[in-house]
Amino acid sequence: MSFDSDEESVIEEDYYACLNISKEATPEEITSAYRRLSRLYHPDKHTDAEQKVKADLLFNKIKKAYEILGDPHQRAIYDTVGLKGLKTNGWAIVPRTKTPQEIRDEFERLAREQNERRLQQRTNPRGNVIININATDIFTTYDDDYDEFVEKSYFPSIEISGMSMSQAIEAPLTLRDTLTLQGHLATQNGTGSGSFIVSGKRLISPNGWIEAEFAAGNGPIASLKLSRSLTSSIYGNFATQLKFTSSGPRLGLVSSLGMPLDRYTQGYLTWNVGFASSMTTMIVRDTDQSHSSIVFSLGLTSSFMSASQTWKINKADLKLRIYCKLGTVSSMVECSAEKKVSEQSVLCAAVSVGVPNGVTLKIKINRARQSYIFPIQLCEEPRLMPSVYAVITPLVVYFTVKKLIVEPFIKEQKEKKIEKQREVNKNRMEEKKREAKAAVDLMKATYERIYAEEESRNGLLILRALYGKDADAVAKTEAPSSSQLSEVIDVTVPVQCLIKNSQLTIHNTSKSQLSGFYDPCVGEEKVLYVKYSFHSHVCETTVADQDVLRIPKQSHRINTS
């Protein structure tokens, strides 16, 4: 759930939970659920004046749910855009003769038009900053005995040896045409350079595009790129580049063919002619758990072979990678770890050891579409001690910062969001609490009847049911604290009333929307704990707020025939 605005923090009514039906319920199931609850809440079923008022309130609520879900037109709108769709006047002009699928298609069409309007206003800025740091003095000291007048320092010298910055913005002209402007500045050991690039890209088919590019900086460069499918399984990329130099124009050509080898594997063949002629073969295998690649390249100036393996630990938002390269000009081994630290931020640390670059630690931070890269050279030749420090130091820094800064910050932000959500929904939650108490009061007679029926047939009896934050822990604690009890409610009566023919099913909707329930701790993770007796066997179960609950499970049912 987003907390960016008060409107997004408001908890909407869930009509499926109100009737305790699944989102795939048939019209017959919707009608059956409505009739069952009507027998419980219809005002004519109650003679007491106070109970009549309570029943009238709850009956109108389930009636509203039935009116919306029982009408295919309104249900399609509700399923697609929620309650705000039903409150929008524009939907009144949608013909009622349209099927639910046609209504969804209509909404998707309107959404595409809205996205196109947003596209006109979006520039998609992206860029990166690279700061090269020379820290070789930490592990390699140089004697200054040749000059007795040079003052010796007791601290290693760490300097910035180079820096580069690039920025790009997109200017979408239509859904098929995009104009891109890019700028690049760099300095290395006191020498600077820069370039400016303008490119226009057009989609020529669902599986193809063409792009023209012009660059100015270190000599004008013009290029033309084309990508398209050649057959049902082979696709190609083609590029030609014309570079104007002091010695005259130079032409370069690059062509690449790709084809799937199996469901997860792609093969690529690239031919480069001109500036640095080479022939490259690459095989890439990408699955949900890993990413692998092997590259062989033969060139006039250099040749190499490389292999990489990435393990994706999705539950931890973590990627671990090892990369090896053996070439005529350079060779290296690199290990890296990439961690998603927030919704928009990714942190990566890599250690490379090789020749001629020595030992380098690279820190990379991605924030949205911006990248900040810090290559830190620790040693000019491969050595063990700098390599060990390059691995250990980022880990120590990461866990220290995470424990002392990041986790307290995230906790504080979460508490602020929860507090905001509670404030926005304060009046509604008070109303829901009154509704739940009224519902439980009206359920007492039904509860006693169902309990007696289940007891007589040795069926399903709810001994205790709790709902809220850590409800299972509260149930198993002899003397829970007052703060724990304030975030948990007893729902034994409403859960027993949901039993039908010795079976209990609660669908995958928030339990707080069920009749007789309310949310005792808005914004917190909640669970439903149920202790029950089935055929004289006492059991207990706990499910998350949005999970399906079925008691007894199919495999645990006892044949009583």
Side-chain angles (χ1 to χ4, degrees):
M1 176 175 288
S2 174
F3 296 92
D4 294 336
S5 68
D6 287 353
E7 183 179 352
E8 291 176 337
S9 297
V10 174
I11 300 174
E12 287 190 342
E13 199 78 57
D14 187 335
Y15 291 134
Y16 287 99
C18 183
L19 299 179
N20 189 32
I21 54 177
S22 70
K23 293 185 178 180
E24 295 76 33
T26 63
E28 292 75 17
E29 289 172 334
I30 295 172
T31 302
S32 176
Y34 168 67
R35 287 177 177 173
R36 187 165 182 262
L37 289 172
S38 294
R39 289 193 291 269
L40 181 61
Y41 294 131
H42 199 288
D44 293 343
K45 300 289 184 180
H46 305 275
T47 56
D48 182 78
E50 185 178 348
Q51 288 196 331
K52 255 186 181 308
V53 174
K54 295 178 181 178
D56 186 61
L57 175 67
L58 295 166
F59 178 72
N60 287 332
K61 182 178 175 182
I62 63 169
K63 183 180 179 183
K64 180 68 175 177
Y66 174 67
E67 288 174 352
I68 291 174
L69 299 184
D71 183 334
H73 182 83
Q74 293 193 71
R75 183 182 182 183
I77 297 173
Y78 176 70
D79 287 347
T80 305
V81 289
L83 282 175
K84 62 180 179 291
L86 296 170
K87 297 175 182 177
T88 303
N89 293 331
W91 283 104
I93 64 174
V94 178
R96 296 186 63 83
T97 55
K98 286 195 173 185
T99 65
Q101 185 58 46
E102 288 173 333
I103 291 174
R104 294 186 180 95
D105 292 341
E106 178 75 6
F107 173 75
E108 290 174 0
R109 183 187 66 79
L110 294 173
R112 284 195 299 270
E113 291 180 357
Q114 185 179 22
N115 288 337
E116 186 170 2
R117 288 193 295 270
R118 289 177 178 174
L119 194 62
Q120 307 298 332
Q121 305 169 356
R122 191 176 60 196
T123 58
N124 284 334
R126 65 180 186 275
N128 62 60
V129 177
I130 302 176
I131 300 176
N132 299 91
I133 300 173
N134 188 335
T136 56
D137 199 37
I138 297 177
F139 298 98
T140 305
T141 57
Y142 300 94
D143 293 331
D144 293 328
D145 295 338
Y146 66 90
D147 191 346
E148 61 182 1
F149 298 103
V150 175
E151 183 180 354
K152 294 184 178 181
S153 173
Y154 294 99
F155 298 97
S157 174
I158 299 176
E159 60 182 15
I160 296 177
S161 58
M163 180 183 297
S164 65
M165 301 175 63
S166 63
Q167 188 71 27
I169 60 171
E170 293 179 357
L173 306 178
T174 68
L175 287 177
R176 298 176 62 190
D177 302 299
T178 303
L179 180 69
T180 303
L181 305 178
Q182 302 179 59
H184 178 77
L185 293 173
T187 176
Q188 186 72 30
N189 296 324
T191 303
S193 64
S195 63
F196 178 73
I197 303 172
V198 180
S199 63
K201 185 175 182 179
R202 179 179 179 83
L203 296 176
I204 55 178
S205 72
N207 300 313
W209 51 265
I210 187 170
E211 181 178 21
E213 184 177 280
F214 178 79
N218 300 325
I221 301 174
S223 64
L224 184 67
K225 303 174 184 178
L226 173 67
S227 176
R228 66 168 299 127
S229 297
L230 303 179
T231 67
S232 58
S233 59
I234 300 177
Y235 52 91
N237 296 319
F238 308 94
T240 178
Q241 188 178 78
L242 183 63
K243 184 175 182 179
F244 298 89
T245 66
S246 57
S247 58
R250 297 178 60 188
L251 182 66
L253 299 172
V254 179
S255 61
S256 177
L257 297 178
M259 65 177 295
L261 303 180
D262 61 34
R263 181 181 176 184
Y264 301 106
T265 309
Q266 297 281 335
Y268 301 91
L269 180 64
T270 302
W271 183 38
N272 190 338
V273 179
F275 307 141
S277 298
S278 64
M279 178 71 76
T280 303
T281 301
M282 180 167 61
I283 299 175
V284 178
R285 180 173 177 82
D286 192 9
T287 68
D288 293 336
Q289 291 77 35
S290 65
H291 178 93
S292 310
S293 69
I294 299 175
V295 180
F296 297 93
S297 179
L298 296 175
L300 296 179
T301 57
S302 68
S303 300
F304 69 91
M305 60 180 295
S306 67
S308 72
Q309 176 68 38
T310 302
W311 294 272
K312 304 175 185 178
I313 308 175
N314 297 319
K315 290 184 178 180
D317 290 326
L318 179 67
K319 294 180 181 179
L320 301 176
R321 178 175 179 263
I322 184 168
Y323 171 78
C324 300
K325 178 183 177 183
L326 180 63
T328 56
V329 175
S330 65
S331 299
M332 62 177 292
V333 175
E334 181 178 278
C335 300
S336 66
E338 181 182 295
K339 171 71 175 175
K340 185 176 181 181
V341 294
S342 72
E343 190 64 29
Q344 297 290 335
S345 302
V346 175
L347 177 64
C348 178
V351 179
S352 63
V353 181
V355 289
N357 295 324
V359 181
T360 302
L361 168 63
K362 183 187 292 184
I363 306 295
K364 182 178 180 181
I365 302 172
N366 286 338
R367 174 66 180 173
R369 295 169 66 87
Q370 302 293 320
S371 297
Y372 305 90
I373 305 170
F374 304 90
I376 306 171
Q377 188 173 12
L378 300 177
C379 189
E380 294 179 345
E381 58 187 26
R383 290 174 58 186
L384 178 60
M385 189 59 66
S387 304
V388 172
Y389 274 92
V391 173
I392 295 176
T393 303
L395 292 174
V396 173
V397 172
Y398 171 75
F399 286 108
T400 301
V401 172
K402 179 184 177 184
K403 195 69 177 177
L404 299 180
I405 299 176
V406 176
E407 288 183 354
F409 175 77
I410 293 176
K411 183 179 179 181
E412 182 183 357
Q413 291 297 106
K414 182 179 179 181
E415 289 174 352
K416 287 181 179 179
K417 290 178 180 180
I418 292 174
E419 186 62 32
K420 178 182 177 181
Q421 193 179 19
R422 287 178 177 175
E423 184 64 30
V424 171
N425 293 279
K426 182 178 180 180
N427 294 333
R428 174 166 170 73
M429 288 303 104
E430 288 297 325
E431 180 184 345
K432 290 284 293 180
K433 186 175 181 179
R434 290 192 295 270
E435 284 183 8
K437 290 182 177 180
V440 171
D441 188 33
L442 295 173
M443 288 177 181
K444 287 180 180 178
T446 303
Y447 165 79
E448 292 172 358
R449 176 179 58 80
I450 294 176
Y451 193 94
E453 290 176 356
E454 293 295 326
E455 189 174 35
S456 65
R457 66 171 70 142
N458 198 22
L460 180 57
L461 302 174
I462 304 301
L463 306 178
R464 192 182 188 192
L466 298 177
Y467 172 71
K469 182 181 178 182
D470 299 327
D472 52 341
V474 172
K476 298 170 186 178
T477 302
E478 292 185 5
S481 64
S482 57
S483 61
Q484 288 179 305
L485 292 174
S486 66
E487 295 180 319
V488 171
I489 58 174
D490 190 313
V491 290
T492 305
V493 171
V495 171
Q496 183 73 56
C497 289
L498 292 174
I499 292 173
K500 184 178 180 181
N501 297 328
S502 297
Q503 296 179 28
L504 171 65
T505 300
I506 299 179
H507 297 280
N508 56 337
T509 54
S510 176
K511 313 296 184 290
S512 64
Q513 301 277 0
L514 292 169
S515 185
F517 285 64
Y518 68 91
D519 194 337
C521 47
V522 175
E524 301 280 4
E525 295 291 332
K526 292 170 282 290
V527 297
L528 174 62
Y529 165 85
V530 180
K531 183 178 182 180
Y532 61 94
S533 171
F534 182 65
H535 289 254
S536 300
H537 294 274
V538 177
C539 307
E540 57 183 11
T541 185
T542 302
V543 295
D545 190 32
Q546 298 283 347
D547 288 352
V548 176
L549 172 64
R550 287 189 175 89
I551 301 177
K553 295 181 181 179
Q554 187 70 36
S555 58
H556 294 164
R557 289 179 186 165
I558 300 172
N559 189 353
T560 58
S561 59

